[in-house]
Amino acid sequence: LVTGVQTCALPIFTTSGNHTWDVNCTDQDNASALGGQRVIYVDLLNPNVTANYPKGNTVNSTVSFNWTAIDNMDTNMTCELYINGTLNQTTWASNNSARIFNVSGFNDGFYLWNVTCYDNGNRSNTSTVENFTVAEVPSIALGNPPDGNRTTDLNWTLFYTPNDNSGSVANCSLIINGALNQSNSSPVQVGSENNFTLNDLTNGTYTWRVNCTDLSGNEGTNGTRTFYVDLDGPEINLKI
């Protein structure tokens, strides 16, 4: 050999694992030296990736994806989450531990998903393709009148603000004392205050709530409130 950079062929490895190597050189005066031990990591196995959840489930607009990646060597892997065949997020997973990853903003509908994970040797594997359905009901926040309001007024305006993950609500209905009273006569404004008007009420106690249905047919409601139309003055009993 001559002085300078030399190359040599490594053996063909047939098993995964850590392999150490070193070089010992001896000159013509029988003086020798070692180059310093180094390690080669040989990985011949792909990771295993299992999709745990959701698997045919019906969920809300924020989905908690759950998968497990197992590798023979690495403690962490890079994982790509695909929704309907398109890359949605790149994240990580610890070896042989369930990875829970939340994704928000889904509209109502049917979706496919899968995960591909890569180990440090760039070997990869992909989970099975699973599905889920997003069906989130509208939420309704009631405004005025506050619960328990009491007045002599016979005409009332009841305010409510609907919201839905799709950004649209097909219709809303006012329920008075457990029965349908009326439905919206104009398009519902999502994220804004809407109202129903009641006229010519009589003396008594009234409960009210609002039901709203989105474009996918999912119906949501809110807690019930009470108001009072009080036309009776107090009774005064005089005793002599």
Side-chain angles (χ1 to χ4, degrees), residues 112-144:
L112 300 174
W113 75 283
N114 63 277
V115 176
T116 297
C117 292
Y118 300 82
D119 64 17
N120 291 338
N122 206 37
R123 302 189 73 90
S124 66
N125 214 338
T126 300
S127 72
T128 56
V129 177
E130 303 295 342
N131 70 80
F132 62 95
T133 300
V134 176
E136 185 167 285
V137 302
S139 62
I140 304 101
L142 298 183
N144 286 323

Side-chain angles (χ1 to χ4, degrees), residues 30 52 75 115 176 240:
N30 206 34
N52 300 324
T75 57
V115 176
I176 296 291
I240 301 177

Side-chain angles (χ1 to χ4, degrees), residues 78-152:
T78 299
C79 295
E80 298 173 340
L81 173 64
Y82 289 84
I83 307 296
N84 290 339
T86 300
L87 177 63
N88 180 271
Q89 301 280 346
T90 299
T91 182
W92 55 269
S94 295
N95 190 20
N96 201 21
S97 297
R99 175 65 163 129
I100 299 174
F101 189 76
N102 294 328
V103 179
S104 302
F106 286 99
N107 287 334
D108 293 341
F110 179 82
Y111 296 87
L112 300 174
W113 75 283
N114 63 277
V115 176
T116 297
C117 292
Y118 300 82
D119 64 17
N120 291 338
N122 206 37
R123 302 189 73 90
S124 66
N125 214 338
T126 300
S127 72
T128 56
V129 177
E130 303 295 342
N131 70 80
F132 62 95
T133 300
V134 176
E136 185 167 285
V137 302
S139 62
I140 304 101
L142 298 183
N144 286 323
D147 192 33
N149 190 257
R150 183 186 297 268
T151 182
T152 58

